[in-house]
Amino acid sequence: MAEKTSQTDAEPIPPQDRKGRAEDIVQILRKRIADHELPPGARLQEVELANQFNISRSAVREILGTLEQRGLITRVPNRGAVVAKLEFKEIYEIFDVRVALEGLCVREATRRAPPEVWLPHIERFGDDMERAIEKGDIARYSDALEDLRKETIDWADNSHAAHFLDLVLDKTHLIKLRVTLLPGRAAAGRKMHLEMLHFMRSGDAANAELTKKRIIRSARDWLERYRSFIL
Amino acid sequence: MAEKTSQTDAEPIPPQDRKGRAEDIVQILRKRIADHELPPGARLQEVELANQFNISRSAVREILGTLEQRGLITRVPNRGAVVAKLEFKEIYEIFDVRVALEGLCVREATRRAPPEVWLPHIERFGDDMERAIEKGDIARYSDALEDLRKETIDWADNSHAAHFLDLVLDKTHLIKLRVTLLPGRAAAGRKMHLEMLHFMRSGDAANAELTKKRIIRSARDWLERYRSFIL
DNA sequence: GGCCACAACTTTGTTGACATAAATGTTCCT
DNA sequence: AGGAACATTTATGTCAACAAAGTTGTGGCC
């Protein structure tokens, strides 16, 4: 076995910046788990992580604690931590929660933001995007979607909803991507999002919310239809 | 100063039951914080807690970590943990989240549970309860409400929604109680819940959901009106 | 040859000591 | 007296060693 697992970071060890560093490492691991770079079932060994990030075992332990709270890993006593598996049922649970919370965020964002906020997004989801999707440039759509989501949550100004959405989106990040990649999904999603954005622009919070809910439910239906492909 | 803060528990220290014990202590502290037995701003000192529960400081540390994740305490570096304060804004945020998630739970519970499940609750919220409330027996109403909430969440069968509701209800537990104690609120709440229960009994998930949402929004309005009393 | 028992090894759990930062108390100088 | 610098105290942050549990490998016995 190799002497040491590669150290991602070999800085001169800042003196008392432990706290912030731990926070950073949580983000890194969140991303790796969300992207399945650490796939479900993968073991997270304390000493290995300690070496990898050049931190002490107790720091690793604390980090594992927060990842456990977030539901990203499960710890079995005396056996360590593994990346949590996402049960089928959980996926549907999360869709329902997303319908509720993202709907809330769209509604509130529509109420709070000045209408012109949505103009750049309407532009971005327009004809150019339609052509890009037709050519298979799904990443562009996905990026636009992500930016819109961020801005919406920002304007919704509800830290609790934002936090909870953060938690569930970590778990279903990859599934969301895969659904977007399904043939025809991006085109359908673009159209509906454009519709939603027009409601937002005109300040029609109720219809914006309904449309967002329809979008998420529709994504769930696509997942259901193609589930053998995606899971 | 006293030698030792009183030990709540002086068992012979079970051998390797650390994990479960820590979990218990989290529940205890959750309750104490929710009830304001530990009021906002109260300090939680590590050694003190360690003595009180007869556990090691690192165990306390882990417990404080989970309480922090739950948003019940805030930790400032090198200064320790204090019970988190609930800002005005947060209360409104939580009401909105509750409308979304409890609405979801009522809808799904209505869909999943056999209708007769709600009969005992309808009974319980009936005329007897009306008279009890008139006589000022608010506790009885509050208990019935709590049982209904638990059964609803149970039948809704959405662990994510249940978890998130757990988190926010810890924070607003006391406020919820105080609103219930406002003159007239319990009577109004009873009536609306009875209405909701009839929808649930007849399997009308959509109207049950709408009614639940109306109930929570109404509670928010009461809070707003009497906020100088409650906060 | 299969299987149980035992032993070595690996990994997590726990404890206590030490380091460091903030708060408090004290002293000395103006 | 007032205040700044310093010392003390108190609590948290960090680390490394030790203990316990689990896993794996080996050997003997039937």
Side-chain angles (χ1 to χ4, degrees):
Chain A
M1 189 187 280
E3 294 281 293
K4 234 180 179 178
T5 45
S6 67
Q7 283 179 211
T8 307
D9 200 331
E11 290 160 31
I13 312 166
Q16 177 80 356
D17 197 22
R18 274 282 178 253
K19 189 88 179 182
R21 175 123 186 78
E23 203 57 43
D24 291 346
I25 295 175
V26 168
Q27 305 302 332
I28 293 171
L29 291 177
R30 272 181 62 192
K31 180 161 170 39
R32 287 192 190 165
I33 293 173
D35 294 343
H36 282 40
E37 193 178 322
L38 290 169
R43 293 189 61 183
L44 295 178
Q45 293 199 1
E46 298 182 352
V47 285
E48 187 181 330
L49 291 174
N51 292 336
Q52 198 171 136
F53 293 109
N54 207 29
I55 57 180
S56 69
R57 239 189 81 206
S58 44
V60 171
R61 229 139 193 297
E62 195 174 322
I63 290 169
L64 291 180
T66 82
L67 291 178
E68 184 183 23
Q69 287 292 318
R70 286 188 162 246
L72 294 179
I73 65 173
T74 60
R75 291 168 104 177
V76 286
N78 296 312
R79 302 231 354 223
V82 298
V83 177
K85 286 181 183 165
L86 195 60
E87 302 295 330
F88 203 62
K89 172 142 199 343
E90 284 190 87
I91 296 174
Y92 284 99
E93 288 184 18
I94 289 175
F95 267 106
D96 281 344
V97 169
R98 282 183 55 203
V99 168
L101 294 182
E102 293 198 37
L104 162 62
C105 286
V106 165
R107 189 184 74 226
E108 291 305 311
T110 302
R111 284 192 181 140
R112 291 172 200 264
E116 60 269 22
V117 163
W118 312 113
L119 284 177
H121 293 283
I122 290 176
E123 186 73 21
R124 228 175 142 192
F125 277 86
D127 296 341
D128 276 5
M129 174 74 73
E130 186 173 11
R131 281 188 292 277
I133 290 173
E134 278 171 10
K135 287 178 191 164
D137 186 1
I138 306 296
R140 182 167 163 189
Y141 171 66
S142 195
D143 288 348
L145 210 56
E146 179 64 11
D147 288 344
L148 173 57
R149 189 185 68 81
K150 277 184 190 149
E151 184 142 42
T152 302
I153 287 178
D154 227 45
W155 278 104
D157 197 30
N158 184 316
S159 62
H160 284 82
H163 178 58
F164 296 154
L165 282 173
D166 236 37
L167 293 181
V168 299
L169 288 175
D170 272 349
K171 294 194 189 184
T172 51
H173 176 67
L174 201 67
I175 290 174
K176 215 179 152 188
L177 271 184
R178 286 180 184 159
V179 169
T180 308
L181 285 172
L182 289 173
R185 170 62 197 170
R190 184 199 70 87
K191 206 176 155 201
M192 288 192 281
H193 274 99
L194 200 53
E195 191 182 330
M196 177 187 79
L197 277 164
H198 280 114
F199 283 128
M200 295 175 89
R201 160 143 176 45
S202 63
D204 186 346
N207 274 314
E209 178 180 7
L210 280 175
T211 307
K212 183 62 188 177
K213 289 182 170 181
R214 262 186 39 229
I215 291 171
I216 299 174
R217 290 208 184 93
S218 147
R220 187 191 55 196
D221 293 342
W222 281 69
L223 167 63
E224 200 160 322
R225 207 175 326 159
Y226 292 87
R227 97 182 122 186
S228 52
F229 270 105
I230 289 177
L231 304 180
Chain B
M1 186 188 282
E3 295 278 294
K4 230 181 184 179
T5 45
S6 68
Q7 284 180 208
T8 307
D9 202 330
E11 291 160 32
I13 313 164
Q16 176 80 354
D17 198 23
R18 267 341 209 144
K19 191 85 179 184
R21 175 127 186 77
E23 201 58 42
D24 292 345
I25 295 174
V26 168
Q27 305 303 332
I28 292 172
L29 291 176
R30 272 180 62 191
K31 179 161 170 45
R32 286 192 191 164
I33 294 172
D35 294 342
H36 281 40
E37 194 179 320
L38 289 170
R43 294 190 61 184
L44 295 178
Q45 293 200 1
E46 298 183 352
V47 285
E48 187 180 331
L49 291 174
N51 292 337
Q52 198 172 135
F53 293 108
N54 205 31
I55 57 179
S56 70
R57 236 189 83 206
S58 45
V60 170
R61 230 139 193 296
E62 196 174 319
I63 289 169
L64 292 180
T66 81
L67 291 178
E68 184 183 23
Q69 287 294 316
R70 285 188 163 248
L72 294 178
I73 66 173
T74 60
R75 292 169 103 176
V76 285
N78 296 313
R79 302 233 356 228
V82 298
V83 177
K85 286 180 183 162
L86 196 60
E87 304 294 331
F88 289 122
K89 173 138 200 345
E90 284 190 87
I91 296 175
Y92 286 97
E93 287 184 19
I94 288 175
F95 267 106
D96 281 344
V97 169
R98 280 185 56 203
V99 168
L101 293 183
E102 295 199 34
L104 162 62
C105 286
V106 165
R107 188 184 75 228
E108 290 304 312
T110 302
R111 283 192 182 141
R112 290 172 202 264
E116 61 269 22
V117 163
W118 313 113
L119 284 178
H121 293 284
I122 290 177
E123 187 71 21
R124 229 174 140 191
F125 276 87
D127 296 340
D128 276 3
M129 174 74 74
E130 187 174 10
R131 281 189 292 275
I133 290 173
E134 278 171 9
K135 288 178 191 162
D137 185 1
I138 306 296
R140 183 168 162 186
Y141 171 67
S142 195
D143 289 347
L145 211 55
E146 180 63 10
D147 288 344
L148 173 58
R149 190 184 68 81
K150 277 183 190 150
E151 183 143 43
T152 302
I153 287 178
D154 227 45
W155 279 104
D157 196 31
N158 185 318
S159 61
H160 285 83
H163 178 58
F164 296 153
L165 282 173
D166 237 37
L167 293 180
V168 299
L169 289 175
D170 273 349
K171 294 194 189 182
T172 51
H173 176 68
L174 202 67
I175 289 174
K176 215 180 152 188
L177 271 182
R178 285 180 186 159
V179 169
T180 307
L181 285 171
L182 289 173
R185 171 61 197 170
R190 183 198 71 87
K191 206 175 154 202
M192 286 192 282
H193 274 98
L194 201 53
E195 190 183 330
M196 177 187 79
L197 277 164
H198 280 115
F199 283 128
M200 294 176 89
R201 156 133 183 51
S202 64
D204 187 345
N207 274 313
E209 178 179 7
L210 280 175
T211 307
K212 182 64 189 177
K213 289 182 170 179
R214 262 185 40 228
I215 292 172
I216 299 174
R217 289 206 185 94
S218 149
R220 186 191 57 196
D221 294 342
W222 281 69
L223 167 63
E224 201 160 321
R225 208 177 325 158
Y226 292 88
R227 100 182 120 187
S228 52
F229 269 105
I230 289 178
L231 302 180

